[in-house]
Amino acid sequence: MTNLFLSIDAGTIDWSRAQFALTAIYHWLFVPLTLGLAVIMGIAETIYYKKRTDFWKKTAQFWQRLFGVNFAMGVATGIILEFEFGTNWSNYSWFVGDIFGAPLAIEGIVAFFMESTFVAVMFFGWKKVSAGFHLASTWLTGLGATISAWWILVANAWMQYPVGCTFNPDTMRNEMTSFVEVALSPFAIDKFCHTVISSWIIGAVFVIAVSCWYLLKKRHTRLAIQSIKIAVIVGFIAALGAGATGHKSGQTVAQVQPMKLAAMEALYNGGNEMDLTMIAWVNPFKQPDYTNEAEPAMKLAMPYGLSMMATNTLDGYVPGINDLLNGYTKEDGTVELSVDEKIARGKLAIQALADYRKFKAENGNSKPGTLLYKKLFLEENMPYFGYGYVKDKHDLVPSVPINFWAFRTMVGLGCLFILFFGVVLILIFDIPMVSLIFRRLFSALGLLDERSADATSPADAMPRWLCWAAILMLPLAYICSESGWLVAEFGRQPWTIQDMLPTWAAVSDLQSSSVMITFFLFLILFTTMLAVEISILLKQIKKGPDATLNDK
Amino acid sequence: MTYEFLQHYWCFIVSLLGALLVFLLFVQGANSMIFTLGKNQEERRLLINSTGRKWEFTFTTLVTFGGAFFASYPLFYSTSFGGAYWLWMLILFTFVLQAVSYEFQNKIGNFLGPKTFQCFLVLNGILGPLLLGGAVATFFEGSNFIVEKDNLINADALTPIISHWANASHGLDALLNPWVLVFGLAVLFLARTLGILYMMNNINDDEIRTRSRYQLAGSAFVFVVLFVVYLVHLILKDGFAYDESGKIFMEPNKYLHNMIDMWYLTAVMLVGVVLVLWGIISELLKLKREDPDPEDLEPENIDGIWYAGIGTVLTVTPLLLMSAWNHTAYYPSTADLQSSLTMENSCSSYFTLNTMFWVSLLVPFVLAYIIYAWHKIDSKKISRTEIEADDHAY
């Protein structure tokens, strides 16, 4: 049967990508704050459970109110993402549904119900359940959200690094062979640790920013100071953790997604003893002419840094875009095929699959020897199956400007957060000697007035410029977080599943106009709701905690 | 465990999740009547706060239902969602509106005003059950799609897509089928009936309770008529059967045969129907009684929702199983009969179904903590005083 009903056009692929990106970007505005605030409000309520003071109860309730407003949008955008795998990427859903569907189902059974059950107890159970049960509900809400993140990141990591599966020519799809390999792949563990820990940064920055606004307005100062104390510890640990897990993620990317790494580094021609680019002139609006071997201009780099990051040795070999396109010999002597050769092997795999199916349809299992031979030939070429759908090898190079600048934005802001949390930590806590030295240093630099240099009051210790800086950090935290996703997802392009299925082979049979309409419907809806959410959050913050809260 | 057992087991789990979803649509049913049952802002707040403590269960069950279908029957997931695009997108769109409506509507800073979000709840309350019911009806009535797995090896294809909708309406065509509409409307009125029963149980307010009883009679009557009409149609209609080789063919009175062959499902369904009817009738009788026992009118004794809710699960689960067990194609194609999806040709591999089987053993544990938390939250019924005192009230 021919494709008489095929209504798809090239625009469908682009609009489907745009729609998924839109949903993912919006969803990721709300999830990290949910994950981060869950930890901070959990700590606040734990202190309440220990001390049983009205202050800590109201403090926990205040952050829970803001959590609730944000939580609703996270849930709303999340449902679209799950179903878009089916609606917009139906071929993908069949080709790998045997593997990919499992984490999503487990997410629903194990995580979503925990989150949705206990969030209701957290909001409405203050007067209906015991303090212990309520505290458990608050932590279980956060745990549910974190377990949910685990399973969706397992699914996402599998798209970046498909393991634990094999292709079944009889069912024409990939099938799971090891659940443990899928659920505990090194990529999944790195991704989970880096993503969740970096989400805590957003929660911490949010709490510090709101608290600093109260300090500037000289309102709710006790709540502000105590909240900053909790948030800055969470944030500082998270910022250091994000750096460490980010480094580990980078090493995994170097091993399994070398093209992504090359794009992130704007590395056109690889080699040994490679430097790590700190900054370089990469035109943000134009894909570079990497084939002409013109490396980016004005490059400031850390010697041996990239080799060290990718291979743990100073002279390790790191391939560039051209090496990956044209093929190269690895240090262990194995040859990485050129993309042209991979495309040829991919077409062989597709033909081998066609031959296998035709032979089986005509002969059944009556000639097992020939059938096995055809199957073995297919299996030999199967690792390149996805390349068989590639028409032009340059389609396999992701956007260098997006990856390069998004990566630098993420890492640069990540470093800034370590500095920011470090400064707040030293100023807000009266650490013997250390805080005094730093306060006097800041005073000498004119960043802290003289009266505050020796002060032990935390309110005095937070200068106005730092409060304003904290408020500025909030949008920067979101930019940092979204940049991380841009690197992860744009770096994978054009593969929906790395080396296995390109986007144009994964999409649904839809008219581009249909997807375009839903894209704009969701854009309008999400943007309107985001505006409402921001407006509500601002009003809630302005209103502040319960008026009866003791400010002393 | 055999592959066949796992296929049947997962069909049961998905059907059970579908049935639980239909029961939990009481949230939508109640919301569709916000302006009918709540005559002023205070009463509407009572209604919204009542369903607002349960909406996440409906939402989560919908997502888990989708996820379980994806994991166990990926070909259905790709064919139905990718094909009936507009039908599913409309459903999702209304559920997105619902998710934010509770939290946002009465908060300061909501520049769209509370009424906008109440209208969103009504929209979701009507379209959600209607369209979900319509989608379920296609399990019996068929959909307009073609599956061609060999497209994966079609070198000439622009893209190697295996599932196609055979017309440009992408699912909206289902709504032109009157039987799909009958079933969709039956689900809508069932949701409204359950919604009213839930309100009567959950809200300690005489005015709303009295008003609800009058609405109950109307909604329940329409539901029963539509359900009986569809059931008769189902018994009389030809069904999509398949033989041992997997070949699909039309069998006269297939669903009647399923009811006879799988008598145990029919028995469970009948028990379910009786419970639903008892849940409705027992509440109506309390209203009719001239000298009601005061005990009957105590909030904890207004319990029709539990009979009707359990009855709904016991009715819908076997009904969905009738569409798939006993060599029946559960997602029939009206464009190409042999493209129809069966438990055998659309399920995941043995390995995945087996792995997921062990995960599914957590379900009773999940149900247990949901019941416990629900009981704790609902131990005291919602009242006007409580709403005024609760600073997180919607």
Tab-separated table of all heavy atoms in Angstrom, chain B residues 148-189:
chain	number	residue	atom	x	y	z
B	148	GLU	N	0.508	0.783	8.649
B	148	GLU	CA	1.382	0.105	7.682
B	148	GLU	C	2.801	0.073	8.236
B	148	GLU	O	3.569	1.020	8.037
B	148	GLU	CB	1.394	0.869	6.360
B	148	GLU	CG	0.070	0.947	5.660
B	148	GLU	CD	0.119	1.921	4.498
B	148	GLU	OE1	-0.019	3.132	4.752
B	148	GLU	OE2	0.335	1.477	3.368
B	149	LYS	N	3.127	-0.990	8.938
B	149	LYS	CA	4.457	-1.055	9.543
B	149	LYS	C	5.561	-1.062	8.489
B	149	LYS	O	6.678	-0.612	8.741
B	149	LYS	CB	4.563	-2.297	10.420
B	149	LYS	CG	3.774	-2.202	11.706
B	149	LYS	CD	4.037	-3.403	12.573
B	149	LYS	CE	3.057	-3.440	13.728
B	149	LYS	NZ	3.088	-4.714	14.448
B	150	ASP	N	5.247	-1.585	7.293
B	150	ASP	CA	6.280	-1.652	6.256
B	150	ASP	C	6.688	-0.287	5.729
B	150	ASP	O	7.640	-0.188	4.945
B	150	ASP	CB	5.817	-2.562	5.106
B	150	ASP	CG	6.065	-4.018	5.449
B	150	ASP	OD1	6.876	-4.274	6.371
B	150	ASP	OD2	5.456	-4.897	4.824
B	151	ASN	N	5.997	0.755	6.148
B	151	ASN	CA	6.456	2.096	5.756
B	151	ASN	C	7.850	2.389	6.301
B	151	ASN	O	8.568	3.231	5.769
B	151	ASN	CB	5.491	3.162	6.263
B	151	ASN	CG	4.390	3.424	5.262
B	151	ASN	OD1	4.492	2.996	4.112
B	151	ASN	ND2	3.333	4.096	5.698
B	152	LEU	N	8.217	1.688	7.370
B	152	LEU	CA	9.560	1.897	7.940
B	152	LEU	C	10.649	1.514	6.947
B	152	LEU	O	11.782	1.975	7.049
B	152	LEU	CB	9.729	1.063	9.217
B	152	LEU	CG	9.127	1.634	10.505
B	152	LEU	CD1	9.258	0.640	11.637
B	152	LEU	CD2	9.811	2.936	10.910
B	153	ILE	N	10.302	0.647	5.997
B	153	ILE	CA	11.306	0.245	5.003
B	153	ILE	C	10.951	0.774	3.612
B	153	ILE	O	11.433	0.290	2.605
B	153	ILE	CB	11.456	-1.294	4.964
B	153	ILE	CG1	10.101	-1.968	4.932
B	153	ILE	CG2	12.276	-1.777	6.142
B	153	ILE	CD1	10.153	-3.472	4.864
B	154	ASN	N	10.091	1.797	3.588
B	154	ASN	CA	9.728	2.421	2.312
B	154	ASN	C	10.700	3.561	2.046
B	154	ASN	O	10.590	4.645	2.617
B	154	ASN	CB	8.285	2.931	2.401
B	154	ASN	CG	7.825	3.554	1.101
B	154	ASN	OD1	8.621	3.719	0.166
B	154	ASN	ND2	6.556	3.897	1.029
B	155	ALA	N	11.661	3.283	1.172
B	155	ALA	CA	12.718	4.262	0.911
B	155	ALA	C	12.183	5.513	0.224
B	155	ALA	O	12.803	6.572	0.283
B	155	ALA	CB	13.806	3.629	0.069
B	156	ASP	N	11.013	5.398	-0.435
B	156	ASP	CA	10.481	6.551	-1.176
B	156	ASP	C	9.651	7.487	-0.310
B	156	ASP	O	9.303	8.583	-0.742
B	156	ASP	CB	9.602	6.058	-2.345
B	156	ASP	CG	10.409	5.195	-3.290
B	156	ASP	OD1	11.616	5.506	-3.456
B	156	ASP	OD2	9.859	4.231	-3.839
B	157	ALA	N	9.296	7.040	0.882
B	157	ALA	CA	8.436	7.874	1.730
B	157	ALA	C	9.185	9.120	2.192
B	157	ALA	O	10.386	9.068	2.457
B	157	ALA	CB	7.982	7.074	2.939
B	158	LEU	N	8.436	10.229	2.267
B	158	LEU	CA	9.058	11.460	2.776
B	158	LEU	C	9.495	11.220	4.216
B	158	LEU	O	10.598	11.575	4.619
B	158	LEU	CB	8.035	12.607	2.719
B	158	LEU	CG	8.465	13.936	3.341
B	158	LEU	CD1	9.626	14.544	2.551
B	158	LEU	CD2	7.297	14.913	3.408
B	159	THR	N	8.607	10.623	4.980
B	159	THR	CA	8.970	10.152	6.314
B	159	THR	C	8.313	8.781	6.492
B	159	THR	O	7.232	8.543	5.947
B	159	THR	CB	8.458	11.108	7.419
B	159	THR	OG1	7.064	11.032	7.444
B	159	THR	CG2	8.918	12.519	7.206
B	160	PRO	N	8.960	7.891	7.220
B	160	PRO	CA	8.467	6.497	7.274
B	160	PRO	C	7.392	6.279	8.330
B	160	PRO	O	7.537	5.449	9.216
B	160	PRO	CB	9.742	5.727	7.613
B	160	PRO	CG	10.533	6.681	8.429
B	160	PRO	CD	10.199	8.066	7.963
B	161	ILE	N	6.295	7.017	8.265
B	161	ILE	CA	5.264	6.950	9.307
B	161	ILE	C	4.376	5.723	9.106
B	161	ILE	O	3.941	5.446	7.992
B	161	ILE	CB	4.417	8.235	9.280
B	161	ILE	CG1	5.319	9.427	9.569
B	161	ILE	CG2	3.299	8.160	10.312
B	161	ILE	CD1	4.687	10.750	9.320
B	162	ILE	N	4.105	5.024	10.206
B	162	ILE	CA	3.365	3.764	10.048
B	162	ILE	C	1.859	3.913	10.271
B	162	ILE	O	1.093	3.102	9.793
B	162	ILE	CB	3.922	2.664	10.981
B	162	ILE	CG1	3.734	3.025	12.450
B	162	ILE	CG2	5.379	2.375	10.686
B	162	ILE	CD1	3.905	1.833	13.360
B	163	SER	N	1.423	4.931	11.031
B	163	SER	CA	-0.017	5.080	11.294
B	163	SER	C	-0.549	6.361	10.640
B	163	SER	O	0.042	7.427	10.819
B	163	SER	CB	-0.285	5.176	12.800
B	163	SER	OG	0.109	4.008	13.433
B	164	HIS	N	-1.621	6.230	9.911
B	164	HIS	CA	-2.218	7.395	9.239
B	164	HIS	C	-3.694	7.470	9.537
B	164	HIS	O	-4.367	6.444	9.586
B	164	HIS	CB	-2.070	7.293	7.713
B	164	HIS	CG	-0.723	6.905	7.270
B	164	HIS	ND1	0.326	7.782	7.225
B	164	HIS	CD2	-0.225	5.708	6.872
B	164	HIS	CE1	1.394	7.153	6.808
B	164	HIS	NE2	1.104	5.892	6.588
B	165	TRP	N	-4.199	8.679	9.693
B	165	TRP	CA	-5.648	8.872	9.736
B	165	TRP	C	-6.103	8.973	8.297
B	165	TRP	O	-5.446	9.610	7.477
B	165	TRP	CB	-5.992	10.143	10.512
B	165	TRP	CG	-7.305	10.040	11.243
B	165	TRP	CD1	-8.436	10.709	10.949
B	165	TRP	CD2	-7.580	9.233	12.388
B	165	TRP	NE1	-9.423	10.362	11.845
B	165	TRP	CE2	-8.924	9.442	12.740
B	165	TRP	CE3	-6.839	8.327	13.144
B	165	TRP	CZ2	-9.536	8.811	13.809
B	165	TRP	CZ3	-7.442	7.697	14.203
B	165	TRP	CH2	-8.782	7.934	14.541
B	166	ALA	N	-7.203	8.339	7.973
B	166	ALA	CA	-7.599	8.246	6.566
B	166	ALA	C	-8.433	9.423	6.083
B	166	ALA	O	-8.941	9.420	4.970
B	166	ALA	CB	-8.348	6.946	6.325
B	167	ASN	N	-8.603	10.428	6.936
B	167	ASN	CA	-9.236	11.662	6.467
B	167	ASN	C	-8.584	12.834	7.182
B	167	ASN	O	-7.778	12.635	8.098
B	167	ASN	CB	-10.757	11.644	6.678
B	167	ASN	CG	-11.129	11.519	8.134
B	167	ASN	OD1	-10.584	12.228	8.980
B	167	ASN	ND2	-12.057	10.627	8.444
B	168	ALA	N	-8.951	14.018	6.759
B	168	ALA	CA	-8.242	15.194	7.274
B	168	ALA	C	-8.812	15.724	8.586
B	168	ALA	O	-8.285	16.685	9.141
B	168	ALA	CB	-8.275	16.304	6.219
B	169	SER	N	-9.867	15.094	9.089
B	169	SER	CA	-10.503	15.667	10.289
B	169	SER	C	-9.781	15.282	11.572
B	169	SER	O	-9.993	15.872	12.622
B	169	SER	CB	-11.967	15.220	10.380
B	169	SER	OG	-12.012	13.868	10.737
B	170	HIS	N	-8.927	14.266	11.499
B	170	HIS	CA	-8.082	13.855	12.625
B	170	HIS	C	-8.853	13.710	13.932
B	170	HIS	O	-8.537	14.341	14.930
B	170	HIS	CB	-6.902	14.814	12.792
B	170	HIS	CG	-5.851	14.581	11.760
B	170	HIS	ND1	-5.059	13.458	11.730
B	170	HIS	CD2	-5.479	15.315	10.692
B	170	HIS	CE1	-4.251	13.512	10.697
B	170	HIS	NE2	-4.492	14.619	10.040
B	171	GLY	N	-9.883	12.894	13.883
B	171	GLY	CA	-10.581	12.527	15.111
B	171	GLY	C	-11.911	13.215	15.299
B	171	GLY	O	-12.794	12.683	15.986
B	172	LEU	N	-12.068	14.393	14.692
B	172	LEU	CA	-13.345	15.097	14.856
B	172	LEU	C	-14.467	14.343	14.155
B	172	LEU	O	-15.644	14.507	14.486
B	172	LEU	CB	-13.240	16.529	14.320
B	172	LEU	CG	-12.290	17.446	15.099
B	172	LEU	CD1	-12.229	18.825	14.474
B	172	LEU	CD2	-12.719	17.557	16.568
B	173	ASP	N	-14.096	13.505	13.177
B	173	ASP	CA	-15.094	12.714	12.466
B	173	ASP	C	-15.847	11.778	13.419
B	173	ASP	O	-16.997	11.425	13.166
B	173	ASP	CB	-14.440	11.897	11.342
B	173	ASP	CG	-13.181	11.180	11.811
B	173	ASP	OD1	-12.396	11.797	12.550
B	173	ASP	OD2	-12.984	10.015	11.435
B	174	ALA	N	-15.191	11.397	14.524
B	174	ALA	CA	-15.856	10.498	15.486
B	174	ALA	C	-17.133	11.135	16.015
B	174	ALA	O	-18.130	10.448	16.265
B	174	ALA	CB	-14.913	10.179	16.632
B	175	LEU	N	-17.109	12.464	16.150
B	175	LEU	CA	-18.266	13.157	16.726
B	175	LEU	C	-19.445	13.224	15.760
B	175	LEU	O	-20.544	13.628	16.130
B	175	LEU	CB	-17.867	14.561	17.181
B	175	LEU	CG	-16.773	14.592	18.255
B	175	LEU	CD1	-16.363	16.013	18.573
B	175	LEU	CD2	-17.226	13.874	19.518
B	176	LEU	N	-19.192	12.840	14.498
B	176	LEU	CA	-20.297	12.800	13.536
B	176	LEU	C	-21.052	11.476	13.623
B	176	LEU	O	-22.122	11.321	13.038
B	176	LEU	CB	-19.759	13.002	12.108
B	176	LEU	CG	-19.082	14.347	11.847
B	176	LEU	CD1	-18.501	14.389	10.434
B	176	LEU	CD2	-20.072	15.488	12.038
B	177	ASN	N	-20.458	10.513	14.318
B	177	ASN	CA	-21.130	9.221	14.503
B	177	ASN	C	-22.126	9.356	15.663
B	177	ASN	O	-21.729	9.599	16.801
B	177	ASN	CB	-20.066	8.159	14.819
B	177	ASN	CG	-20.672	6.779	15.008
B	177	ASN	OD1	-21.850	6.624	15.350
B	177	ASN	ND2	-19.862	5.762	14.788
B	178	PRO	N	-23.437	9.188	15.389
B	178	PRO	CA	-24.424	9.413	16.466
B	178	PRO	C	-24.214	8.490	17.664
B	178	PRO	O	-24.469	8.885	18.799
B	178	PRO	CB	-25.767	9.128	15.781
B	178	PRO	CG	-25.444	8.461	14.491
B	178	PRO	CD	-24.066	8.841	14.111
B	179	TRP	N	-23.718	7.273	17.422
B	179	TRP	CA	-23.534	6.342	18.542
B	179	TRP	C	-22.391	6.775	19.438
B	179	TRP	O	-22.410	6.564	20.649
B	179	TRP	CB	-23.334	4.913	18.035
B	179	TRP	CG	-24.601	4.388	17.438
B	179	TRP	CD1	-24.839	4.084	16.130
B	179	TRP	CD2	-25.835	4.160	18.138
B	179	TRP	NE1	-26.147	3.666	15.964
B	179	TRP	CE2	-26.775	3.705	17.183
B	179	TRP	CE3	-26.237	4.286	19.467
B	179	TRP	CZ2	-28.079	3.375	17.519
B	179	TRP	CZ3	-27.535	3.958	19.811
B	179	TRP	CH2	-28.451	3.505	18.832
B	180	VAL	N	-21.392	7.373	18.813
B	180	VAL	CA	-20.286	7.925	19.615
B	180	VAL	C	-20.816	9.059	20.486
B	180	VAL	O	-20.473	9.174	21.670
B	180	VAL	CB	-19.144	8.427	18.688
B	180	VAL	CG1	-18.116	9.236	19.476
B	180	VAL	CG2	-18.460	7.254	17.999
B	181	LEU	N	-21.684	9.860	19.892
B	181	LEU	CA	-22.270	10.981	20.656
B	181	LEU	C	-23.146	10.472	21.797
B	181	LEU	O	-23.110	11.012	22.903
B	181	LEU	CB	-23.102	11.871	19.728
B	181	LEU	CG	-22.339	12.959	18.979
B	181	LEU	CD1	-23.306	13.767	18.133
B	181	LEU	CD2	-21.593	13.870	19.959
B	182	VAL	N	-23.941	9.417	21.513
B	182	VAL	CA	-24.800	8.855	22.566
B	182	VAL	C	-23.934	8.403	23.743
B	182	VAL	O	-24.230	8.696	24.914
B	182	VAL	CB	-25.635	7.675	22.009
B	182	VAL	CG1	-26.291	6.888	23.127
B	182	VAL	CG2	-26.709	8.190	21.051
B	183	PHE	N	-22.848	7.694	23.433
B	183	PHE	CA	-21.979	7.191	24.498
B	183	PHE	C	-21.304	8.356	25.230
B	183	PHE	O	-21.225	8.376	26.466
B	183	PHE	CB	-20.916	6.248	23.915
B	183	PHE	CG	-20.217	5.427	24.966
B	183	PHE	CD1	-20.755	4.225	25.400
B	183	PHE	CD2	-19.027	5.854	25.526
B	183	PHE	CE1	-20.122	3.464	26.383
B	183	PHE	CE2	-18.383	5.100	26.506
B	183	PHE	CZ	-18.924	3.906	26.937
B	184	GLY	N	-20.828	9.331	24.454
B	184	GLY	CA	-20.182	10.505	25.061
B	184	GLY	C	-21.131	11.243	25.990
B	184	GLY	O	-20.764	11.624	27.110
B	185	LEU	N	-22.372	11.408	25.531
B	185	LEU	CA	-23.364	12.096	26.376
B	185	LEU	C	-23.708	11.270	27.614
B	185	LEU	O	-23.933	11.817	28.697
B	185	LEU	CB	-24.635	12.386	25.568
B	185	LEU	CG	-24.494	13.527	24.548
B	185	LEU	CD1	-25.684	13.558	23.591
B	185	LEU	CD2	-24.348	14.878	25.258
B	186	ALA	N	-23.730	9.926	27.455
B	186	ALA	CA	-24.004	9.060	28.611
B	186	ALA	C	-22.917	9.268	29.665
B	186	ALA	O	-23.215	9.374	30.862
B	186	ALA	CB	-24.049	7.604	28.173
B	187	VAL	N	-21.664	9.339	29.224
B	187	VAL	CA	-20.559	9.558	30.173
B	187	VAL	C	-20.693	10.940	30.821
B	187	VAL	O	-20.491	11.095	32.030
B	187	VAL	CB	-19.188	9.401	29.468
B	187	VAL	CG1	-18.047	9.812	30.393
B	187	VAL	CG2	-18.992	7.963	29.011
B	188	LEU	N	-21.071	11.936	30.022
B	188	LEU	CA	-21.243	13.293	30.575
B	188	LEU	C	-22.318	13.291	31.665
B	188	LEU	O	-22.109	13.843	32.760
B	188	LEU	CB	-21.614	14.269	29.452
B	188	LEU	CG	-22.043	15.671	29.907
B	188	LEU	CD1	-20.926	16.384	30.657
B	188	LEU	CD2	-22.499	16.519	28.716
B	189	PHE	N	-23.448	12.658	31.382
B	189	PHE	CA	-24.531	12.691	32.382
B	189	PHE	C	-24.246	11.769	33.571
B	189	PHE	O	-24.713	12.027	34.673
B	189	PHE	CB	-25.885	12.395	31.715
B	189	PHE	CG	-26.435	13.607	31.035
B	189	PHE	CD1	-26.168	13.864	29.694
B	189	PHE	CD2	-27.161	14.558	31.746
B	189	PHE	CE1	-26.625	15.020	29.075
B	189	PHE	CE2	-27.626	15.718	31.136
B	189	PHE	CZ	-27.355	15.957	29.800
